[in-house]
């Protein structure tokens, strides 16, 4: 297992690191729910259909808890919470829902990322 990276040059005008190279993680693809269920099925004694049922319910439950203004912490992964986008208002007594322009999902990873025995490696050519 490896987390691959690619070198990227900093080209920002005002950066004190302009021209220097940094490692950026490379995403090799997206694993959809069905494939995730197949992987979990291979790793334990639970059938794929049972895993899919749990994942579907997990998704619905997390959505409902977030809609009820809860933070959801997934042990070993991190926490999910809802954030707001909005416009400023000079007088707090005049603030109402019309100033809120959107919602977004916030993710706060666990302090210590546990990725089993993953190593970091450059992306092969």
């Amino acid at each position: 297992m490896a987390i691959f990276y690619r070198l990227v040059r900093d080209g920002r005008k005002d950066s004190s690191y302009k021209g220097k190279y940094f490692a950026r993680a490379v995403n090799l693809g997206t694993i959809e729910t069905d494939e995730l269920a197949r992987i979990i099925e291979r790793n334990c004694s639970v059938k794929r259909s049972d895993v899919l049922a749990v994942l579907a319910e997990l998704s619905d439950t997390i959505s409902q808890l977030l809609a009820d203004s809860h933070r959801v912490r997934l042990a070993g992964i991190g926490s999910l919470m809802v954030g707001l986008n909005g416009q400023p208002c000079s007088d707090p007594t005049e603030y109402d829902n019309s100033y809120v322009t959107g919602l977004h999902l916030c993710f706060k990873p666990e302090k210590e990322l546990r990725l089993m025995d993953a190593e970091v490696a450059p992306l092969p050519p």
Side-chain angles (χ1 to χ4, degrees), residues 71-81 107-111:
R71 175 186 301 218
V72 177
R73 182 176 172 267
L74 301 171
I77 297 173
S79 297
L80 299 166
M81 63 217 99
F107 173 70
K108 183 179 179 187
E110 290 284 316
K111 285 186 179 183

Side-chain angles (χ1 to χ4, degrees), residues 10-25:
D10 184 351
R12 298 173 294 173
K13 291 179 187 176
D14 300 329
S15 174
S16 59
Y17 299 110
K18 184 175 181 177
K20 307 244 184 213
Y21 289 85
F22 293 91
R24 293 287 182 251

Side-chain angles (χ1 to χ4, degrees), residues 2-6 24-31 123:
I3 298 171
F4 293 112
Y5 66 86
R6 168 177 297 134
R24 293 287 182 251
V26 174
N27 181 336
L28 297 179
T30 301
I31 302 298
L123 185 65

Side-chain angles (χ1 to χ4, degrees), residues 4-80:
F4 293 112
Y5 66 86
R6 168 177 297 134
L7 292 179
V8 176
R9 188 174 186 199
D10 184 351
R12 298 173 294 173
K13 291 179 187 176
D14 300 329
S15 174
S16 59
Y17 299 110
K18 184 175 181 177
K20 307 244 184 213
Y21 289 85
F22 293 91
R24 293 287 182 251
V26 174
N27 181 336
L28 297 179
T30 301
I31 302 298
E32 299 290 342
T33 305
D34 196 52
E35 180 62 20
L36 184 61
R38 283 189 176 91
I39 294 167
I40 293 171
E41 179 185 37
R42 283 194 312 257
N43 293 336
C44 66
S45 62
V46 181
K47 287 186 172 185
R48 185 179 137 277
S49 58
D50 296 327
V51 174
L52 283 171
V54 170
L55 291 174
E57 183 57 33
L58 178 66
S59 175
D60 291 346
T61 302
I62 288 174
S63 295
Q64 184 59 54
L65 291 169
L66 292 172
D68 289 339
S69 236
H70 290 280
R71 175 186 301 218
V72 177
R73 182 176 172 267
L74 301 171
I77 297 173
S79 297
L80 299 166

